[in-house]
Amino acid sequence: MPLSPVTGFAGDDSGKSDMARRRIVCALVAVWSSTTVWGPAHAQTRAVVELFTSQGCSSCPAADKLLGDLASDPSLVTISIPIDYWDYLGWKDTLAEPRNTIRQKAYARVRGDGQVYTPQAVVNGTVHALGSDRAAIERAIAETRTNGAAPSLPVTLAFADKGAEVWLCGLIKAATIAVGRGENKGRTITYHNVVRRWVKLGDWTGHAKSWSVPMQGLVGNGIDEAAVLLQGGTNEKPRAILGAALAALR
């Protein structure tokens, strides 16, 4: 079950400036049912890779670089999710949010393995791998495609019965941070597709649906991209990601 890209639409050519359009126009997000027929222009996402990382983790820069490499693959939606539990080591992560840590722990509870670490990649909301190990991430992608948890597969009635949530994530395409203390003291690290805002658009039960989101409710904090995640379960109990899309805002 694919998602359309997040797009700003300019409306008519009535002479409004681009700035005025940005104030008026919305980001349009559409979720379609599994019976929709899609052509080549609507190629589905192969996988969503969420990287849980920290500026205070000396093992993370290799994973941050790898995520940048993976971000160039158009079949992947990659998101960097900075966590805050390493802040006590002496450097407060400038991009971390407590809710990011909550999301990582919720994944561990749902999987039942309790594994929370950095750098940790969670693939399609179900399988985790070492975030600096490209081969392990590719194996996780293959596993989700085998067990039916990949976004490119049609949604079944079982998924719809459990319900799904639609989230719009405001991202910074690249954020370069000079780390002043902690394990990465003196290093300058670039983070890719960093989540800076989470907006729940609503719930999805298997029928075509769309949302209009005011652009001003998403921009700010350097946000220049947006991702849409259609994810089974709830925010507290996240399950497989059923569809995803990524687009630039400017």
Side-chain angles (χ1 to χ4, degrees):
M1 178 175 22
L3 289 178
S4 72
V6 185
T7 58
F9 54 91
D12 59 26
D13 292 324
S14 57
K16 294 185 179 71
S17 68
D18 288 342
M19 185 63 70
R21 288 192 184 111
R22 277 191 177 278
R23 287 197 294 269
I24 297 170
V25 187
C26 300
L28 179 64
V29 179
V31 180
W32 304 96
S33 70
S34 59
T35 58
T36 304
V37 177
W38 290 82
H42 298 285
Q44 294 177 340
T45 299
R46 181 166 66 101
V48 177
V49 180
E50 299 175 66
L51 176 64
F52 292 92
T53 183
S54 172
Q55 294 169 19
C57 159
S58 61
S59 300
C60 288
D64 301 320
K65 183 179 184 303
L66 175 57
L67 193 78
D69 295 340
L70 295 176
S72 64
D73 184 340
S75 73
L76 300 178
V77 172
T78 59
I79 303 176
S80 181
I81 307 183
I83 53 81
D84 62 358
Y85 50 78
W86 294 129
D87 287 0
Y88 79 94
L89 294 177
W91 175 256
K92 182 176 173 59
D93 192 301
T94 61
L95 300 171
E97 298 279 350
R99 67 160 298 146
N100 295 345
T101 300
I102 291 171
R103 181 173 179 82
Q104 186 182 23
K105 291 180 177 179
Y107 272 140
R109 284 196 303 272
V110 170
R111 290 194 310 267
D113 56 36
Q115 294 197 47
V116 175
Y117 58 91
T118 57
Q120 183 181 44
V122 175
V123 176
N124 291 332
T126 57
V127 181
H128 72 96
L130 182 63
S132 56
D133 188 335
R134 182 190 289 265
I137 291 173
E138 286 293 344
R139 286 195 298 271
I141 292 172
E143 181 179 340
T144 62
R145 295 182 71 83
T146 299
N147 66 20
S152 59
L153 296 177
V155 178
T156 66
L157 183 59
F159 281 128
D161 284 343
K162 294 177 181 177
E165 295 181 341
V166 183
W167 288 88
L168 181 62
C169 305
L171 309 175
I172 299 175
K173 185 174 183 178
T176 300
I177 306 295
V179 181
R181 294 187 298 278
E183 290 187 349
N184 287 317
K185 180 180 179 180
R187 301 183 71 168
T188 298
I189 304 169
T190 298
Y191 299 88
H192 303 272
N193 294 352
V194 185
V195 66
R196 299 299 286 152
R197 187 164 297 156
W198 296 87
V199 179
K200 182 179 177 181
L201 298 180
D203 298 312
W204 186 81
T205 57
H207 304 287
K209 197 169 183 178
S210 64
W211 290 265
S212 291
V213 184
M215 193 67 75
Q216 61 267 30
L218 184 63
V219 297
N221 289 334
I223 291 171
D224 54 8
E225 291 187 318
V228 180
L229 303 180
L230 173 61
Q231 185 158 24
T234 64
N235 190 43
E236 294 76 22
K237 295 182 178 180
R239 297 187 182 278
I241 292 176
L242 310 177
L246 176 69
L249 294 180
R250 54 180 181 229

